[in-house]
Amino acid sequence: MILAIDTATQMVSLALHDGQSLLAEMTWRTVRHHTVELAPSVHNLMERVSVAARDLTAIAVVKGPGSYTGLRIGMSFAKGMSLSRTPPIPLVGLPTLDVVAAAQPHHADRLITVAQAGRGRINAGRYQWDGAAWQAAETPVITTWD
């Protein structure tokens, strides 16, 4: 059972995957309330599908780019959950824009992903279709819509 956590932006997302299928997911908008909303939301998501913390076999968490505070909160929470077990369960960091790209269907061989960066800026990454999945074509940049 994998718990996935994305706190990189104001859109927070959680998901539970059993290795075969997605069991539950939730996404909501928060404005600087990641700290007080994350733990109760994880609890509610797991409770909704009768999954206990002891059932988790791995935790995936986005590692950026994104909001420094949001990333810090998500990573700290994920690390705490991992280390609460003996032995600790695996903790995997995933690039934010890779997660965005993976969710996109293949309609063309090139893709540009974007994520809010704050102060009117965006994080942007270019991706190429390799025949099976999106692969990063270059290092992401921080830029503006202009």
Side-chain angles (χ1 to χ4, degrees):
M1 184 73 56
I2 300 169
L3 171 64
I5 302 170
D6 180 353
T7 56
T9 68
Q10 291 180 358
M11 296 304 295
V12 178
S13 293
L14 303 172
L16 284 168
H17 196 281
D18 67 2
Q20 301 297 317
S21 62
L22 181 65
L23 297 181
E25 65 181 326
M26 62 189 306
T27 298
W28 70 98
R29 184 175 190 273
T30 188
V31 181
R32 296 186 292 272
H33 291 104
H34 294 77
T35 304
V36 296
E37 295 175 355
L38 183 57
S41 297
V42 168
H43 174 79
N44 291 340
L45 182 75
M46 293 174 68
E47 191 173 65
R48 191 169 63 197
V49 291
S50 301
V51 170
R54 69 179 170 276
D55 300 326
L56 296 177
T57 56
I59 300 172
V61 61
V62 296
K63 63 180 185 177
S67 155
Y68 174 77
T69 301
L71 292 168
R72 182 175 47 91
I73 291 164
M75 288 185 192
S76 297
F77 181 85
K79 186 173 182 181
M81 283 197 73
S82 170
L83 294 176
S84 72
R85 300 272 298 277
T86 305
I89 59 176
L91 182 58
V92 178
L94 303 168
T96 305
L97 297 177
D98 287 4
V99 172
V100 174
Q104 306 311 309
H106 175 233
H107 293 299
D109 288 340
R110 289 184 278 177
L111 174 72
I112 296 177
T113 61
V114 295
Q116 178 183 350
R119 298 184 192 132
R121 299 172 303 164
I122 57 169
N123 296 300
R126 293 180 191 272
Y127 288 80
Q128 281 290 135
W129 185 255
D130 72 359
W134 293 109
Q135 299 297 322
E138 60 186 45
T139 303
V141 296
I142 296 176
T143 187
T144 63
W145 285 110
D146 292 338

